[in-house]
Amino acid sequence: MTKEYIFTSESVTEGHPDKMADQISDAILDDIISKDRNAHVACETLVSNGFCVIAGELKTTAYTPMQEIVRKVVKEIGYTDATYGFDYRSAAVLNAIGEQSPDIDQGVDQANGELGAGDQGLMFGYACKETEVLMPLPIYLSHRLTERLAKVRKEGIIPYLRPDGKAQISIRYVDDKPVSVETVVVSTQHHDNISQERIHRDIIEEVIKKVIPADMLSSDYQSRPFSCICCAIRCKEPGCIRCM
């Protein structure tokens, strides 16, 4: 009996708030570790419209210019205008980093020189032969779509795009092998005077067709480039995934 199912994966662009927060935390960690390899860093970032909060605990001998790092990351992402919902120059940055708790420090730094676990977590993942990079095809193509979104924005191929966006792809499997792309969903920030028809056409031609192999697209695949002019405003476009 044939085993058939559809598997869906999602990816977000560098300007999505979740990814933006990750990049800021990573940049702070990188800066500290480059100066103090024995540092303990627990850094979390929260971003909202024009506002960034850095929180957590540190144990380090290094000085890190938090505000400068935040603004540099935000600028590189592409938030260079307040009309985008965030501007690296005018955004408020709140530094709520504190010193690491003595109790956690005691659990991490053992008297015998060994390192303990200050936090615990359970993760899982797997490699497979569906792609050359050994990642499952749905998440691989989702990442490539958001990567392409950033490229066409930064290179001016689709000049009206803005940093925030996401992509979701559904692939049909038969006997555990991917056979076709059934659904593609792309959501992206854009200038508010661009028609949905133009966005639909440009996203299909310059993003979807540049990433997904033609032989993987089913004859009746669904392409849904729903979009918002700003991630904080309901754009009222029918079916927009940010406004549902």
Side-chain angles (χ1 to χ4, degrees), residues 218-234:
S218 64
S219 59
D220 60 344
Y221 86 98
Q222 304 169 61
S223 172
R224 305 169 181 168
F226 304 143
S227 56
C228 267
I229 59 174
C230 176
C231 58
I233 301 174
R234 287 185 176 271

Side-chain angles (χ1 to χ4, degrees), residues 88-100:
Y88 77 97
R89 289 161 294 205
S90 60
V93 180
L94 175 61
N95 184 353
I97 294 284
E99 186 177 358
Q100 186 180 56

Side-chain angles (χ1 to χ4, degrees), residues 5-66:
Y5 58 91
I6 293 177
F7 193 94
T8 300
S9 292
E10 180 182 271
S11 178
V12 298
T13 62
E14 60 186 346
H16 187 281
D18 294 346
K19 187 69 71 176
M20 191 173 165
D22 287 343
Q23 291 171 90
I24 292 171
S25 296
D26 286 348
I28 291 171
L29 172 62
D30 289 345
D31 186 78
I32 294 173
I33 293 299
S34 70
K35 301 169 182 174
D36 178 8
R37 297 190 63 82
N38 296 315
H40 296 164
V41 182
C43 179
E44 297 287 351
T45 302
L46 177 150
V47 293
S48 185
N49 279 3
F51 191 71
C52 176
V53 179
I54 311 165
E57 296 182 342
L58 301 179
K59 180 186 177 185
T60 180
T61 59
Y63 167 74
T64 298
M66 302 284 186

